[in-house]
C-alpha cells in the first residue's frame, strides 16, 4: 500500500527549486501538446517564448503585462501567508477600474494634475470595498471567503457590463459597449517613448518593495506569518484572527483595485467589458510560483506575462486558439502544487496484513 507521510521538516532548497521543476515539466507537456497538434515543437516554442520578446517593443510589452500581475500578486501574498484565501482579485480589479474610471468620466473636461492621483486612490478604495464583503461575511458569519470572493467576480463583471452598455456608454462610440475615452489628464504617463509602458510599472515595483518591508520588517507582517504557520500558537499569543483576515483581504483588494484603474488609465484608456484578460486569476499563480515572496513574485510575473504574449504570438503565427495561454498557466500551477506535495510529504510503501475469517 502506498501512502504519503509528512516530512519532519520541508526542504527550503526544494521549495525554491520547485517552480523551476514545474516550469520544466510544463515545457515537456507543451512539447507533447504541440506534437499532437502536428506543429514542430521547436518552431512552436520559438513562436511562444522567443518571438514575443525578440525586440525592444516586445520587452516593453512584457513589462506592461507584468505590472498588474506583480502588483496584484504582492497584495494577495500578504493574505495567503496567513491562510486568508482571497480568490476574487479579478472582481476587485474590475470594481477598482469602475471607481477610478467613474471619477475620470465625471471630470472629463478637467486637466487638474490631482485627477490621476485621485483616480488611483478611488481604485484602491473600490477594490478594498469589494474585498471587505467576504472579509465581513467571514468574520461575522464564518462564511467561506474563497466562495464569496469568487462569486463576487461575476457580480463585478456584470456591473461593469451594465455600466458600459447603459449609463456610461459612449454616445459617439457607434453603439459599442465602451465608455468615453479618458481625457489626457486621466491617463498614466508613458515611461519610454514609442512604447505602452507607463508609470504603473513603477507603482508595481514600489508595491513589491513595500510588501517586502511589511512581511519582513513589520510587527503586523510577523503576526501574519505566525498566523499562517502556526494558527494555534498565534491564538495563544493573542494575535487576532479577525484582524488577520481583514488585513489580508484589504491588502489584496487595494492592490487589485489599483491594478484595475492602472489598466483602464493605461493601455486601454477607457472602460470596456473585456478590460482584464484574467490578471486577477493569473496573479494567484504568480503568487505561488514566486513562493509568496515579493522578490520571487517580481520574477514570476515576468514568466506569466510571457505566457500571455506567447499565447498572442501562437494565435498569429501558429493558428492556435487563445485558450493555449490558459492551458500553460493551468499546467504550470498543477505541477507546482504537485511539487509542493512532495516537498511536504514523502511516499512510503506500507505492507498491510489482511486477516481472513474462517467459517465452520
Amino acid at each position: 500500500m502506498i501512502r504519503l507521510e509528512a516530512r519532519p521538516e520541508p526542504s527550503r532548497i526544494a521549495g525554491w527549486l520547485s517552480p523551476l521543476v514545474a516550469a520544466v515539466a510544463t515545457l515537456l507537456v507543451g512539447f507533447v501538446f504541440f506534437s499532437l497538434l502536428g506543429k514542430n515543437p521547436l518552431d512552436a516554442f520559438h513562436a511562444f517564448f522567443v518571438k514575443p520578446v525578440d525586440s525592444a517593443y516586445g520587452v516593453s510589452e512584457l513589462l506592461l503585462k507584468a505590472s498588474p500581475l506583480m502588483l496584484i500578486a504582492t497584495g494577495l501574498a500578504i493574505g495567503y501567508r496567513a491562510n486568508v484565501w482571497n480568490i476574487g482579485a479579478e472582481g476587485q480589479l474590475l470594481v477598482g477600474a469602475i471607481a477610478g474610471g467613474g471619477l475620470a468620466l465625471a471630470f472629463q473636461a478637467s486637466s487638474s494634475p490631482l485627477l490621476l492621483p485621485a483616480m488611483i486612490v478611488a481604485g484602491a478604495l473600490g477594490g478594498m470595498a469589494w474585498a471587505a464583503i467576504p472579509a465581513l461575511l467571514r468574520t461575522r458569519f464564518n462564511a467561506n471567503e474563497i466562495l464569496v470572493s469568487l462569486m463576487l467576480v461575476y457580480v463585478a463583471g456584470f456591473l461593469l457590463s451594465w455600466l458600459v452598455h447603459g449609463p456610461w456608454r459612449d454616445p459617439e462610440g457607434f453603439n459599442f459597449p465602451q465608455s468615453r475615452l479618458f481625457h489626457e489628464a486621466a491617463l498614466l504617463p508613458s515611461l519610454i517613448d514609442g512604447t505602452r509602458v507607463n508609470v504603473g510599472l513603477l507603482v508595481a515595483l514600489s508595491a513589491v518593495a513595500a510588501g517586502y518591508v511589511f512581511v519582513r520588517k513589520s510587527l503586523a507582517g510577523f503576526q501574519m506569518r505566525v498566523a499562517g504557520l502556526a494558527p494555534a500558537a498565534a491564538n495563544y499569543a493573542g494575535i487576532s484572527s479577525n484582524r488577520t483576515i481583514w488585513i489580508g483581504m484589504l491588502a489584496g483588494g487595494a492592490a487589485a483595485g489599483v491594478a484595475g484603474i492602472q489598466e483602464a488609465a493605461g493601455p486601454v484608456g477607457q472602460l470596456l467589458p473585456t478590460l482584464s484578460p484574467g490578471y486577477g486569476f493569473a496573479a494567484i499563480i504568480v503568487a505561488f510560483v514566486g513562493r509568496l515572496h515579493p522578490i520571487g513574485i517580481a520574477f514570476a510575473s515576468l514568466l506569466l506575462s510571457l505566457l500571455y504574449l506567447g499565447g498572442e504570438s501562437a494565435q498569429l503565427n501558429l493558428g492556435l486558439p487563445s485558450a493555449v495561454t490558459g492551458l500553460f498557466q493551468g499546467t504550470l500551477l498543477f505541477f507546482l502544487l504537485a511539487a509542493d506535495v512532495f516537498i511536504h510529504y514523502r511516499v512510503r510503501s506500507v505492507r498491510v496484513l489482511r486477516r481472513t475469517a474462517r467459517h465452520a
Side-chain angles (χ1 to χ4, degrees):
M1 181 178 177
I2 303 299
R3 57 181 288 183
L4 292 177
E5 181 180 274
R7 296 181 183 274
E9 184 177 356
S11 171
R12 292 178 59 89
I13 297 178
W16 282 103
L17 289 179
S18 60
L20 179 60
V21 174
V24 172
T26 302
L27 291 178
L28 294 177
V29 170
F31 187 92
V32 175
F33 172 74
F34 290 131
S35 298
L36 292 176
L37 292 178
K39 307 292 184 181
N40 185 319
L42 296 180
D43 293 339
F45 280 132
H46 183 273
F48 206 96
F49 296 105
V50 178
K51 191 173 182 59
V53 290
D54 62 357
S55 65
Y57 182 80
V59 174
S60 70
E61 288 294 297
L62 180 75
L63 297 175
L64 176 70
K65 291 186 179 297
S67 298
L69 295 172
M70 189 187 310
L71 178 57
I72 300 170
T74 301
L76 291 179
I78 292 175
Y80 290 170
R81 282 181 171 273
N83 294 328
V84 179
W85 304 109
N86 179 5
I87 309 298
E90 182 75 3
Q92 294 145 28
L93 179 152
L94 297 178
V95 173
I98 291 172
L103 200 61
L105 296 174
F107 296 92
Q108 185 75 17
S110 174
S111 58
S112 171
L114 299 178
L115 178 58
L116 189 57
M119 289 168 56
I120 294 176
V121 172
L125 293 177
M128 292 171 68
W130 210 244
I133 298 175
L136 177 64
L137 294 178
R138 167 66 187 278
T139 54
R140 292 294 299 274
F141 304 104
N142 200 31
N144 189 302
E145 76 274 18
I146 297 176
L147 296 178
V148 176
S149 61
L150 180 60
M151 292 300 100
L152 285 174
V153 171
Y154 301 99
V155 178
F158 286 130
L159 176 60
L160 176 59
S161 180
W162 172 73
L163 288 171
V164 296
H165 278 87
W168 288 3
R169 185 170 60 184
D170 184 3
E172 300 177 358
F174 302 100
N175 211 32
F176 285 101
Q178 61 188 28
S179 73
R180 292 179 179 271
L181 291 172
F182 293 172
H183 188 269
E184 185 177 357
L187 297 177
L188 292 173
S190 176
L191 283 180
I192 305 174
D193 293 337
T195 70
R196 299 195 301 165
V197 179
N198 53 58
V199 296
L201 176 61
L202 301 182
V203 175
L205 292 174
S206 299
V208 169
Y212 180 84
V213 172
F214 176 83
V215 170
R216 294 295 176 181
K217 305 297 182 181
S218 70
L219 175 61
F222 172 75
Q223 292 175 340
M224 298 286 285
R225 298 205 311 273
V226 172
L229 294 173
N235 185 57
Y236 181 79
I239 298 175
S240 171
S241 61
N242 286 350
R243 180 170 178 266
T244 298
I245 293 169
W246 277 101
I247 292 176
M249 294 298 298
L250 293 183
V258 172
I261 188 56
Q262 287 185 171
E263 193 69 12
V268 179
Q270 59 184 154
L271 293 178
L272 297 172
T274 56
L275 180 69
S276 168
Y279 287 143
F281 293 118
I284 299 173
I285 303 176
V286 171
F288 283 102
V289 172
R291 315 313 295 166
L292 304 182
H293 191 284
I295 305 301
I297 286 173
F299 288 102
S301 66
L302 295 175
L303 174 60
L304 267 292
S305 175
L306 181 59
L307 291 182
Y308 274 113
L309 294 178
E312 297 171 359
S313 176
Q315 293 180 64
L316 295 174
N317 297 286
L318 301 175
L320 295 178
S322 59
V324 69
T325 300
L327 171 68
F328 275 100
Q329 290 178 352
T331 303
L332 178 63
L333 180 60
F334 171 80
F335 283 118
L336 182 67
L337 295 177
D340 282 352
V341 170
F342 293 104
I343 290 173
H344 294 87
Y345 298 88
R346 56 189 173 192
V347 179
R348 295 293 299 270
S349 178
V350 180
R351 179 173 296 178
V352 179
L353 298 178
R354 296 183 179 180
R355 295 181 179 179
T356 57
R358 295 182 178 181
H359 300 277

